[in-house]
Amino acid sequence: MDIVQRLESAWQTHAEGHFEAALREYRALFDDAEAASLRLSYILAAWAKLAEEYLPAHHALVDLRNRLTNELPSAPQLFHDIRIINDKLGDLQNTYHLFQTLPEAQAQQNARAALPSIMACGDYALARRYLPQPEHHLALAAMQLNELKNNINVLTNEGMADMLAEVFNYTTEVALVLDLLNGCGDTDAAAIARQQAVSLVQSPEARACVQAELDAPGTTLDAMVELQNSVTA
């Protein structure tokens, strides 16, 4: 069987309640070099779902996180993997504390990925250290969205899907900036940034989507799911 077939087989094993066997296969798939493109998405998501139902799967996921942490000094790129595993475990404190142990050069490289965990743990001073100009970050994100939107035809389903994906990415950065400013007590700056997050978007279609997401978080994901369902129906 190829990797996709093995993953589908593991899903079926899991669905049938054979948790121990499913865990063995998820672990094997995660460590299989041929499954590298799926390991932090479909494989890890399936493993995390199993961990909600089967305590040994949770323990195994923690063990994996700890093993990668031990390998981190010689493989700095593993911080990315550890952070994603911690997100699945709901252990943002581990990401926060691990980030604090990184050498400065590695901390700079991983700061953006770690910022949500840092702020979730209430250390807005540390977050501001690694994002000292949040308004500039917002402007750069808007510039990127505007450039990408210029190459998207929203009159097609594919184009609309692409635009929604880019709006989702952009509003994720907006939420990060607003969280940081509010957490630092800069509520006036946060209010201005919220307005700018909309006004900086040039495309009327994208701007409307951004406004909708700010007014009702989750709107973009709902639209993406609805579009996908309409295409596959």
Side-chain angles (χ1 to χ4, degrees):
M1 291 190 293
D2 63 22
I3 292 298
V4 173
Q5 290 172 327
R6 284 176 58 193
L7 181 56
E8 290 175 342
S9 176
W11 285 339
Q12 185 62 34
T13 300
H14 180 177
E16 292 173 353
H18 304 302
F19 293 161
E20 184 177 357
L23 175 58
R24 282 198 302 270
E25 189 57 24
Y26 289 149
R27 294 177 76 164
L29 282 165
F30 191 91
D31 288 330
D32 193 322
E34 294 184 6
S37 63
L38 302 177
R39 62 196 295 269
L40 294 176
S41 54
Y42 292 102
I43 296 170
L44 183 57
W47 188 342
K49 184 177 180 181
L50 178 62
E52 295 175 358
E53 307 171 81
Y54 183 53
L55 189 58
H58 178 87
H59 291 160
L61 199 52
V62 172
D63 289 343
L64 170 64
R65 188 268 313 277
N66 293 342
R67 171 168 65 85
L68 296 180
T69 300
N70 290 334
E71 297 172 7
L72 185 61
S74 60
Q77 72 278 7
L78 289 177
F79 183 86
H80 173 71
D81 299 36
I82 296 166
R83 193 267 304 171
I84 294 176
I85 293 171
N86 278 332
D87 285 352
K88 295 296 185 184
L89 289 169
D91 193 355
L92 303 186
Q93 282 194 343
N94 183 274
T95 298
Y96 168 54
H97 292 307
L98 182 61
F99 179 80
Q100 292 177 298
T101 70
L102 296 179
E104 183 58 25
Q106 292 180 28
Q108 290 287 351
Q109 292 173 357
N110 291 290
R112 170 59 190 87
L115 280 173
S117 298
I118 294 170
M119 290 191 287
C121 292
D123 196 342
Y124 289 95
L126 181 62
R128 191 65 179 260
R129 174 183 164 191
Y130 287 97
L131 192 62
Q133 297 179 302
E135 295 91 346
H136 180 62
H137 182 81
L138 176 61
L140 290 177
M143 185 183 303
Q144 182 178 29
L145 174 62
N146 290 331
E147 290 176 355
L148 291 169
K149 173 59 182 67
N150 288 335
N151 299 315
I152 293 175
N153 178 8
V154 296
L155 297 180
T156 66
N157 285 333
E158 181 180 0
M160 179 58 73
D162 288 343
M163 187 191 74
L164 289 172
E166 296 304 335
V167 166
F168 177 81
N169 292 336
Y170 173 65
T171 53
T172 298
E173 298 307 309
V174 173
L176 182 81
V177 167
L178 298 183
D179 188 11
L180 177 58
L181 290 171
N182 282 315
C184 291
D186 295 339
T187 54
D188 290 342
I192 294 172
R194 192 180 192 280
Q195 294 175 344
Q196 290 179 332
V198 178
S199 63
L200 287 171
V201 179
Q202 297 171 352
S203 159
E205 301 92 346
R207 188 164 59 247
C209 290
V210 170
Q211 183 68 68
E213 178 65 28
L214 292 177
D215 290 342
T219 298
T220 307
L221 274 179
D222 289 344
M224 293 168 73
V225 171
E226 183 177 350
L227 178 62
Q228 180 63 31
N229 289 340
S230 70
V231 171
T232 57

